[in-house]
Amino acid sequence: MKLNNRLIACGLLAGAFLCAGLTSAVAAEKKDEQAKLEAKAKVTRATAEKVALAKVPGGTIKEGEIEEENGMLIWSFDISTKNSQDITEVQVNAQ
């Protein structure tokens, strides 16, 4: 019985390490993709953030990324506002 428990524990640990490695690899790939898209952008992230926040007064950026959507390069931000659980997505042209 102890051997079975050890085998199960080893299997769970191996699975956890595999998942952590895959997650790390996916994160690195996304970071590389973001860097390539940022290099193509004519509008910096800082400028795009200012534009996005101007559209949601009193807002706070929770997440942001640059992406190609329908052939256009855009900055996309998720913005929250105080006293609300709603998230507003604001897109800013990066070209």
Side-chain angles (χ1 to χ4, degrees):
M1 191 68 150
K2 283 187 176 185
L3 181 59
N4 282 340
N5 288 343
R6 285 185 183 166
L7 288 174
I8 290 170
C10 287
L12 290 173
L13 280 173
F17 284 125
L18 179 62
C19 287
L22 288 175
T23 301
S24 180
V26 168
E29 184 177 316
K30 181 164 176 100
K31 189 175 181 180
D32 287 345
E33 180 184 336
Q34 289 285 294
K36 287 177 185 176
L37 292 175
E38 282 186 44
K40 291 170 40 175
K42 294 179 182 172
V43 177
T44 66
R45 182 183 181 111
T47 299
E49 286 180 352
K50 289 177 186 174
V51 171
L53 288 171
K55 294 180 181 181
V56 185
T60 302
I61 294 175
K62 294 296 178 187
E63 190 174 331
E65 66 180 350
I66 191 167
E67 57 192 358
E68 282 185 307
E69 197 168 285
N70 298 322
M72 291 189 59
L73 191 59
I74 60 164
W75 287 101
S76 179
F77 299 101
D78 291 339
I79 301 176
S80 66
T81 53
K82 192 174 180 178
N83 300 325
S84 175
Q85 293 184 358
D86 293 337
I87 297 291
T88 302
E89 182 179 7
V90 176
Q91 295 180 339
V92 178
N93 189 339
Q95 297 174 323

